[in-house]
C-alpha cells in the first residue's frame, strides 16, 4: 500500500511506520509538525526508507503535498496529553478537530481510504464491565472531547459523502519511544534518576494497558480489513491500578518504594477504562504482549537508550515538569 501516515514521528505513529515498512513493504509518507512530542529520532532506523514531510495537518497546502501518490491516510497526529489539555485546550481543538477536518477533505477530494486513530477515552469512565463500540460517547477531558469531536466528524464523512472511513480506538499504550509526560515513561525515568514518583489522588485509577506493537498491528488490521463506516476497539490484555504499575517499575528499576509521592489529583480524573475488543478479534487480531513482559521490555529499553531521552530530560521538558508538578527534576 502507499500510505500517508500523519503524526508518524510520534510514539505510536513511528511504531506503526516501522511495522508497515519492515513487515508489509508499504510505501510510506510521514506528515508531522514535529511538536514537542514528535521527533525524527523516533524514526531513526527507517528514515531512509520513507518520505518525510514537515508540516501540520491543519494546513491544506502541506496536506496536498504530502498526500500526492498515496491511496490511504492513517491519522495519528494529535495533541495527546490529558494534563496539557486541562492547562491549555486550544492546540487540541486546532489539531485534533480542525486538522482531522482538513485530512477528511483531502481524502474526499481524492476518494482515499481513511483511518482515524482514536482512544478509549471517548467513552469516558466505566466502574464495571467494558465498553463496546456501541457504548455512548461521554468524554471527560478537553483531550477526549476533541478526540470524540474528530470521531463524529469522521463518521459524518462516511454517512454524508460515502467516504470509506474506519476508526480504531486504542486503550492506554506503553513501550519504547513514549514521551516521558505519560505515566509509564515518566515513572521509569524518575525511578532511574532517583526522583520522586508523583502519583495522582489515591493511585487506584485503572488503565487497560496495551503494548504499542499490538496497537500498531490492530490499526493495520483495521486499515486492511475494517468495514467502511465502522469503529473497532483495540484494548490491551491486562488492567492495572496505577499504584501496581508504579510499584512494578520501582522493582524493575531497582529503586526504593519511598520514592512514591501522592500528589493532588487531576481535575475530572477518569477512574477506570476498559475495552471489549471482540469486533477487532473477529478480524483476526489479538494482543500478544502481556503487561509483565511488556513492562520488563519497556524498562530495559529506557535503561539502554539514554541517547533517546537525555535530550528530552535536559530540554523544555524540565520547564513543563516544574510548571506542572511544582518542583524541579534532579539535574
Ligand atoms: P504522541 O504525542 O507521541 O505523538 C503525536 C504526533 O503527532 C507527534 O509526532 C506530533 O509531532 C504530531 N502532531 C501533533 N500535532 C500535529 C499537527 N497539527 N500536524 C501534524 N502532526 C502533529 O502521541 P501518541 O501517543 O503516539 O498517539 C498517537 C495517536 O494515538 C493519537 O491520535 C492519540 O489520540 C491516539 N491514542 C494514543 C494512546 C496512548 O496511550 N498514547 C491510546 C489510544 C489512542
Ligand atoms: P496518562 O499516562 O496521562 O494517560 P491517560 O490519562 O490518558 O490515561 O495517565 C495514566 C494514569 O496515570 C492516569 O490515571 C493518571 C495517572 N498519572 C499519575 O498518577 N501521575 C502522573 O504523573 C501522570 C502523568 C499520570
Amino acid at each position: 500500500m502507499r500510505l500517508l501516515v500523519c503524526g508518524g514521528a510520534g510514539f505510536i505513529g513511528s511504531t506503526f511506520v516501522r511495522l508497515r515498512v519492515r513487515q508489509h513493504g508499504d510505501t510510506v509518507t510521514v506528515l508531522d509538525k514535529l511538536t514537542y512530542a514528535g521527533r525524527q529520532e523516533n524514526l531513526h532506523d527507517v528514515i531512509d526508507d520513507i518520505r518525510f514531510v514537515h508540516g501540520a495537518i491543519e494546513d491544506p497546502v502541506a496536506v496536498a503535498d504530502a498526500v500526492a501518490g498515496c491511496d490511504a491516510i492513517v491519522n495519528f497526529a494529535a495533541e495527546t496529553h490529558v494534563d496539557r489539555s486541562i492547562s491549555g485546550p486550544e492546540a487540541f481543538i486546532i489539531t485534533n478537530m480542525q486538522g482531522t477536518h482538513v485530512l477528511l477533505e483531502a481524502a474526499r477530494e481524492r476518494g482515499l481510504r481513511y483511518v482515524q486513530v482514536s482512544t478509549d477515552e471517548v467513552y469516558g469512565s466505566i466502574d464495571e464491565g467494558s465498553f463496546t463500540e456501541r457504548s455512548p460517547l461521554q468524554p471527560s477531558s478537553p483531550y477526549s472531547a476533541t478526540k470524540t469531536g474528530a470521531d463524529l466528524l469522521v463518521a459524518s464523512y462516511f454517512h454524508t459523502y460515502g467516504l470509506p472511513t474506519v476508526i480504531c480506538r486504542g486503550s492506554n499504550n506503553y513501550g519504547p519511544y513514549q514521551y516521558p509526560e505519560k505515566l509509564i515513561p515518566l515513572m521509569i525515568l524518575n525511578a532511574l534518576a532517583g526522583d520522586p514518583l508523583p502519583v495522582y489522588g489515591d493511585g487506584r485509577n485503572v488503565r487497560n494497558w496495551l503494548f504499542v506493537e499490538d496497537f500498531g498491528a490492530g490499526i493495520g488490521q483495521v486499515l486492511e480489513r475494517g468495514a467502511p463506516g465502522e469503529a473497532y476497539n483495540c484494548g490491551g490484555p491486562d488492567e492495572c491500578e496505577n499504584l501496581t504499575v508504579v510499584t512494578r517499575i520501582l522493582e524493575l528499576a531497582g529503586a526504593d518504594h519511598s520514592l512514591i509521592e501522592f500528589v493532588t489529583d487531576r481535575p475530572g480524573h477518569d477512574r477506570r477504562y476498559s475495552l471489549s475488543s471482540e469486533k477487532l478479534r473477529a478480524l483476526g487480531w489479538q494482543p500478544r504482549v502481556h503487561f509483565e513482559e511488556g513492562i520488563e521490555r519497556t524498562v530495559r529499553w529506557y535503561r539502554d537508550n539514554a541517547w533517546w531521552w537525555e535530550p528530552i530530560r535536559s530540554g523544555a521538558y524540565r520547564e513543563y515538569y516544574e510548571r506542572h508538578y511544582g518542583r524541579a527534576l534532579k539535574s
Side-chain angles (χ1 to χ4, degrees):
M1 298 178 85
R2 293 171 302 175
L3 303 177
L4 173 60
V5 181
C6 303
F11 162 51
I12 307 170
S14 61
T15 305
F16 180 78
V17 168
R18 195 169 288 113
L19 179 78
R20 298 306 302 190
V21 169
R22 293 270 179 271
Q23 293 184 22
H24 297 263
D26 289 339
T27 301
V28 171
T29 299
V30 166
L31 172 64
D32 200 294
K33 192 178 177 179
L34 298 179
T35 66
Y36 74 92
R39 301 168 73 209
Q40 281 188 323
E41 286 89 330
N42 295 350
L43 293 163
H44 64 100
D45 52 341
V46 283
I47 198 78
D48 293 336
D49 304 318
I50 62 168
R51 175 173 173 241
F52 185 87
V53 178
H54 183 197
I57 57 168
E58 64 272 21
D59 174 359
V61 177
V63 170
D65 168 24
V67 80
C70 295
D71 36 44
I73 298 176
V74 186
N75 181 30
F76 293 86
E79 289 290 336
T80 60
H81 190 36
V82 172
D83 292 328
R84 289 187 195 247
S85 83
I86 293 168
S87 52
E90 194 178 350
F92 289 72
I93 293 159
I94 293 168
T95 291
N96 300 1
M97 297 181 66
Q98 208 173 307
T100 298
H101 172 242
V102 171
L103 293 178
L104 285 166
E105 278 298 314
R108 182 163 82 95
E109 277 167 27
R110 296 162 182 82
L112 305 181
R113 186 160 172 82
Y114 182 92
V115 179
Q116 177 74 358
V117 179
S118 184
T119 164
D120 56 1
E121 302 190 29
V122 298
Y123 298 116
S125 189
I126 188 165
D127 290 335
E128 284 173 13
S130 300
F131 291 118
T132 72
E133 293 79 0
R134 304 183 80 83
S135 300
L137 304 183
Q138 292 182 312
S140 316
S141 69
Y143 163 65
S144 52
T146 56
K147 292 297 290 185
T148 307
D151 280 12
L152 293 174
L153 199 60
V154 170
S156 80
Y157 269 62
F158 169 73
H159 289 292
T160 310
Y161 306 113
L163 189 72
T165 63
V166 268
I167 298 172
C168 187
R169 297 188 178 126
S171 59
N172 280 69
N173 275 230
Y174 68 107
Y177 303 100
Q178 188 171 28
Y179 194 82
E181 63 190 352
K182 306 280 165 51
L183 178 77
I184 287 184
L186 185 146
M187 297 298 175
I188 294 173
L189 295 190
N190 282 21
L192 293 175
D195 276 318
L197 273 55
V199 173
Y200 297 163
D202 63 3
R204 301 218 168 268
N205 302 67
V206 172
R207 296 294 183 264
N208 185 185
W209 292 102
L210 175 63
F211 194 64
V212 64
E213 290 171 10
D214 281 332
F215 193 29
I219 295 163
Q221 283 284 15
V222 168
L223 167 69
E224 288 173 17
R225 307 184 57 197
E230 295 295 316
Y232 295 83
N233 290 343
C234 187
D238 302 292
E239 292 182 17
C240 278
E241 288 186 350
N242 293 340
L243 260 185
T244 310
V245 172
V246 168
T247 303
R248 189 69 190 117
I249 288 171
L250 283 169
E251 285 165 6
L252 290 167
D256 199 84
H257 286 219
S258 60
L259 285 177
I260 292 178
E261 204 173 296
F262 290 94
V263 300
T264 308
D265 207 354
R266 170 188 282 171
H269 195 173
D270 281 338
R271 194 65 173 169
R272 175 171 172 265
Y273 299 138
S274 178
L275 284 183
S276 159
S277 312
E278 291 315 309
K279 194 170 163 186
L280 185 54
R281 283 174 185 268
L283 292 188
W285 174 85
Q286 59 175 27
R288 301 197 177 279
V289 181
H290 275 280
F291 187 72
E292 186 46 39
E293 180 196 335
I295 195 71
E296 280 178 29
R297 281 170 64 177
T298 305
V299 171
R300 200 178 321 127
W301 188 85
Y302 280 90
R303 201 198 285 281
D304 293 347
N305 288 280
W307 70 269
W308 183 86
W309 54 259
E310 266 170 357
I312 296 175
R313 255 181 79 107
S314 59
Y317 175 72
R318 298 188 80 81
E319 286 156 39
Y320 160 77
Y321 195 92
E322 208 165 321
R323 202 170 51 245
H324 182 67
Y325 293 99
R327 70 156 67 99
L329 291 162
K330 278 188 186 159
S331 48

